[in-house]
Amino acid sequence: MSDTAKRRIFAMLDVDGDGVITRAEYLGRVDRAADACGRDPQHALVATARAAHEEVFRQMGSNADGTVTYEEYRDWAGQDAFEESCRPALGSLFDLADHDGDGHLTRDEFTRLRAATGNSPEGADAAFTALDTHRNGLIQRSVYLAAIHDFLTTGHSPMTHAYPPGTPATTTH
């Protein structure tokens, strides 16, 4: 996995930019996504997403101090972490946005989800255009997860548009 991709993602997850991801920051993704997607906080899909994100946060933090540093994230992130815990967590966010449960997101659903989880609306819009492989105004769940997988593991994918180059995490610390 490229260090640049890891830095971009870490910066998105470190909401307040203080150099650590707290449990509240990480789990806040679920609450923001649920709110942006119009899901009741007590909905079963929200509970599923919270549980999946709890597991990811537990796995990321190697020292169990309630925070994740870039070094911990860097050492954890990769192919195995994606398959074991990120795929279910990211899929659960997709499901929050997929109101009719058909396995597809419209541009509006996708943009609201991605903006709620830390992407700029412009970056989310560009990513949607790149991921709409059938040019039918819909993104398939499998295409979405494959694109994030590719970005996380190689640093290259249509999801690159969702993580603009100007993100603070692209600088070397």
Side-chain angles (χ1 to χ4, degrees):
M1 180 176 178
S2 83
D3 194 52
T4 299
K6 288 180 183 180
R7 287 188 181 284
R8 285 176 158 182
I9 294 165
F10 185 86
M12 184 183 68
L13 298 174
D14 178 14
V15 176
D16 64 9
D18 68 352
V20 296
I21 303 167
T22 65
R23 183 177 182 278
E25 283 175 318
Y26 192 72
L27 296 180
R29 291 167 50 87
V30 175
D31 296 332
R32 288 188 308 277
D35 185 54
C37 297
R39 295 287 185 181
D40 184 291
Q42 304 308 312
H43 193 282
L45 288 175
V46 177
T48 298
R50 278 193 194 110
H53 281 74
E54 284 276 6
E55 180 58 18
V56 171
F57 189 78
R58 184 192 67 73
Q59 289 181 18
M60 284 191 302
S62 63
N63 62 9
D65 68 353
T67 64
V68 177
T69 64
Y70 173 72
E71 291 74 19
E72 288 173 311
Y73 176 79
R74 180 196 64 218
D75 293 346
W76 169 81
Q79 173 70 25
D80 292 341
F82 184 85
E83 293 304 328
E84 183 178 337
S85 58
C86 292
R87 184 179 295 277
L90 293 165
S92 73
L93 293 178
F94 185 99
D95 295 343
L96 287 177
D98 182 10
H99 276 275
D100 61 5
D102 68 352
H104 298 87
L105 295 182
T106 65
R107 183 178 297 272
D108 182 58
E109 289 170 332
F110 178 84
T111 301
R112 281 188 286 134
L113 171 63
R114 296 308 299 176
T117 57
N119 299 133
S120 71
E122 300 80 17
D125 190 59
F128 183 92
T129 298
L131 293 173
D132 182 8
T133 56
H134 296 293
R135 301 295 177 244
N136 62 355
L138 299 170
I139 294 177
Q140 297 172 320
R141 189 179 201 271
S142 60
V143 170
Y144 174 74
L145 292 173
I148 296 173
H149 170 270
D150 291 349
F151 184 74
L152 288 170
T153 58
T154 69
H156 304 287
S157 91
M159 284 302 292
T160 302
H161 296 292
Y163 309 100
T167 302
T170 62
T171 59
T172 304
H173 299 306

